[in-house]
Amino acid sequence: ADRRLNLTATSVLCIPGSQPERELTYVQVRSTQKYQQHVTACVVYAIRQYIYITGDWEILNRDGAWSVVQETADFWVSRVEWDGRNFVINHVMDPDEYHYNVNNSCFTNAAARLNLLFAVEAATHLGRQPDPRWVAVSRESNGIKIPLDETLRYHPEYDGYTQGTLIKQASVVLLGYPLGVPMDPDIRHNDIVQYEKCTDNGPGMTYSMYSIGMLELGKLQEAGELFKVQFRNLRAPFRIWNEY
């Protein structure tokens, strides 16, 4: 029987030990779909959030939820490479679809780390022994690389990203919300300001993420201004919001 959790059209099946192109999504998107591996971690993030909100840890014992958590964690440890300092993930595309086949996407790597951390937590909750590979790859020191420019105090979207390069939509800004990656307030602010300036006239939901980020920082005027940018995506005659 198919024991995969039915998580709508974005559900994934990851084959432990497989090459990245073997990751399968139920929604096939463009020729670049094999690079969009962050979807894998996002599914587990949804399971984690459901459990945290409801307290329903029992879901791990039914509907294949534990299998999803376990097998996605196995996928990530099969996907990383050691570069001598950190574990790296090459040849991906993060939510910014203008740039693909890049190395160390900030969002992808951060989401993968959360996937692994939750696998460790879930295994412990179930009384299972967490895979030591999950622990090693997800550790804060020398674990998965999260790109950070210490001089400019912001997160480059991926290795080799040049500040000011046009992006399609929210990507790095998602580290703060929804992922909740800890960072200094000035870095959070710089991420929002830097990427808002070079965001193309694309998906309206990007500006909700910028607005939320400014709310987190207590900058209410800036949050309000960024929120209003989304109104450009309303379409006549019924003022229906759409992606573009």
Side-chain angles (χ1 to χ4, degrees):
D2 185 353
R3 298 178 61 245
R4 287 169 288 173
L5 187 64
N6 181 12
L7 291 168
T8 73
T10 57
S11 297
V12 297
L13 168 63
C14 292
I15 304 171
S18 66
Q19 294 301 311
E21 58 267 27
R22 292 292 306 283
E23 184 195 52
L24 306 176
T25 64
Y26 292 163
V27 178
Q28 301 300 308
V29 285
R30 303 177 184 159
S31 61
T32 57
Q33 63 86 22
K34 70 179 182 179
Y35 298 114
Q36 293 182 310
Q37 293 157 20
H38 60 272
V39 175
T40 297
C42 291
V43 170
V44 174
Y45 179 83
I47 296 174
R48 188 192 80 155
Q49 293 303 93
Y50 168 81
I51 291 173
Y52 283 178
I53 291 168
T54 66
D56 181 19
W57 286 90
E58 187 57 32
I59 193 176
L60 295 171
N61 291 317
R62 66 176 189 269
D63 301 327
W66 167 246
S67 294
V68 172
V69 174
Q70 180 184 36
E71 291 176 25
T72 53
D74 287 342
F75 169 75
W76 289 118
V77 296
S78 75
R79 185 67 177 80
V80 299
E81 301 173 34
W82 178 251
D83 72 351
R85 296 184 60 187
N86 297 97
F87 292 100
V88 298
I89 303 175
N90 297 328
H91 309 298
V92 297
M93 176 169 70
D94 66 9
D96 172 22
E97 295 169 351
Y98 281 177
H99 306 284
Y100 62 92
N101 197 14
V102 300
N103 297 336
N104 293 309
S105 150
C106 213
F107 178 85
T108 301
N109 288 19
R113 181 170 184 264
L114 287 181
N115 190 158
L116 290 161
L117 287 170
F118 183 68
V120 173
E121 181 182 5
T124 303
H125 193 91
L126 292 174
R128 301 170 183 261
Q129 183 66 36
D131 190 320
R133 299 175 302 164
W134 304 347
V135 176
V137 176
S138 64
R139 64 189 176 222
E140 185 171 356
S141 176
N142 303 117
I144 294 179
K145 176 182 179 180
I146 308 297
L148 176 65
D149 188 317
E150 291 281 7
T151 301
L152 297 177
R153 301 287 288 171
Y154 89 110
H155 291 97
E157 188 176 273
Y158 51 83
D159 283 354
Y161 176 84
T162 302
Q163 197 172 50
T165 300
L166 187 70
I167 66 170
K168 177 185 176 185
Q169 61 199 67
S171 176
V172 168
V173 71
L174 303 176
L175 267 65
Y177 179 84
L179 295 189
V181 174
M183 68 185 79
D184 293 337
D186 67 310
I187 293 177
R188 178 69 164 139
H189 182 263
N190 290 343
D191 284 349
I192 298 167
V193 172
Q194 146 65 24
Y195 289 106
E196 192 276 327
K197 289 191 296 186
C198 59
T199 300
D200 204 356
N201 185 18
M205 60 273 201
T206 288
Y207 280 85
S208 64
M209 296 297 99
Y210 293 145
S211 180
I212 288 170
M214 286 299 187
L215 286 174
E216 290 175 6
L217 296 169
K219 297 181 180 296
L220 302 187
Q221 181 175 344
E222 292 92 332
E225 292 170 355
L226 290 166
F227 183 82
K228 288 184 224 179
V229 177
Q230 301 172 92
F231 296 161
R232 70 187 181 193
N233 291 72
L234 295 176
R235 295 293 177 261
F238 300 111
R239 307 294 285 171
I240 301 297
W241 185 92
N242 71 346
E243 184 169 352
Y244 289 97

